[in-house]
Amino acid sequence: MTFYSIDKLLNVILAQPQWEKQRKYHELTKCWYQVVNHKIAQHTRPISLNNEVLYIATASSSWAQDLNLQRRSLILKINRRIDFTVKDLHFATVKWYQNNSLNLDRSDNSDSHPSTIISDSTLNLLPPENPQEALQTWFNIIKKREQKFVTCPVCNINCPEGELKRWGYCAICFQKETSDNN
């Protein structure tokens, strides 16, 4: 049995005709973070590509309006870096809060949930350059999670510390107890 790197496998998959749209979107996402500065990258996220229009979620309507004024120059910068053409950019706040993993400026305190393992603010905003970087980022996240784990006194499984503080045992044991009572 021959083993192939993830990078080679992804390239084989993305080269197939039915994956063309996803390949273009992936390429545009990487390009977007190279074209815009760090401040804009924190407040925007490419969400889809449809009919040569890149749709970008923004953190607020003021960001959408500001970037809409820069639309033409951004299109030129993007088209210089990719092998296909983007005709337009559409900025809106609509899908910004549907995926909070990249939103670093949240005002709510979601870290207070008992099952929270690591804060979203410690995640890397920019997409990885290659599979090795993605794997290394994943390893770093797992190491950070391990530091926050404690052992459940009931089942001896590692779990987030917040679960023990809230229920006295892990969420799995809590679920078993509540389902047994019903």
Side-chain angles (χ1 to χ4, degrees):
M1 177 182 213
T2 306
F3 292 102
Y4 297 100
S5 71
I6 292 175
D7 192 33
K8 284 183 181 178
L9 291 173
L10 285 175
N11 286 337
V12 169
I13 291 170
L14 291 174
Q16 296 174 359
Q18 65 268 30
W19 288 90
E20 183 66 18
K21 186 174 179 181
Q22 287 82 359
R23 183 193 65 77
K24 287 181 177 180
Y25 172 73
H26 179 70
E27 188 177 337
L28 270 174
T29 301
K30 286 173 57 175
C31 181
W32 176 256
Y33 291 112
Q34 293 169 354
V35 167
V36 299
N37 63 37
H38 181 70
K39 183 118 177 136
I40 293 174
Q42 283 184 312
H43 294 93
T44 61
R45 181 175 52 253
I47 52 173
S48 68
L49 175 66
N50 193 10
N51 296 329
E52 299 176 337
V53 176
L54 179 61
Y55 292 85
I56 301 165
T58 60
S60 68
S61 57
S62 60
W63 275 104
Q65 184 177 12
D66 185 43
L67 290 168
N68 200 36
L69 295 172
Q70 300 176 39
R71 192 172 82 238
R72 292 292 165 215
S73 65
L74 289 170
I75 291 170
L76 288 173
K77 288 178 185 178
I78 290 170
N79 284 335
R80 285 186 199 133
R81 292 176 176 252
I82 57 176
D83 60 352
F84 54 94
T85 304
V86 172
K87 289 185 179 176
D88 202 4
L89 301 174
H90 180 79
F91 301 97
T93 60
V94 176
K95 295 195 177 188
W96 179 254
Y97 292 103
Q98 287 184 355
N99 181 1
N100 289 332
S101 64
L102 295 178
N103 182 7
L104 304 180
D105 294 331
R106 289 191 304 221
S107 58
D108 67 338
N109 188 7
S110 62
D111 290 345
S112 65
H113 190 277
S115 295
T116 299
I117 298 170
I118 61 171
S119 170
D120 289 345
S121 62
T122 63
L123 298 177
N124 188 5
L125 178 66
L126 301 177
E129 290 292 320
N130 55 51
Q132 290 78 20
E133 185 180 327
L135 184 62
Q136 187 59 47
T137 302
W138 181 76
F139 280 138
N140 293 339
I141 290 171
I142 296 300
K143 285 179 185 177
K144 287 179 184 178
R145 285 181 181 178
E146 287 176 352
Q147 295 170 359
K148 301 275 185 174
F149 277 4
V150 292
T151 304
C152 173
V154 176
C155 65
N156 294 322
I157 293 177
N158 289 336
C159 66
E161 185 179 16
E163 292 178 2
L164 289 184
K165 286 180 181 176
R166 183 171 186 180
W167 300 306
Y169 37 77
C170 70
I172 296 169
C173 294
F174 177 77
Q175 178 64 34
K176 284 179 186 176
E177 182 178 303
T178 56
S179 66
D180 290 345
N181 290 338
N182 291 334

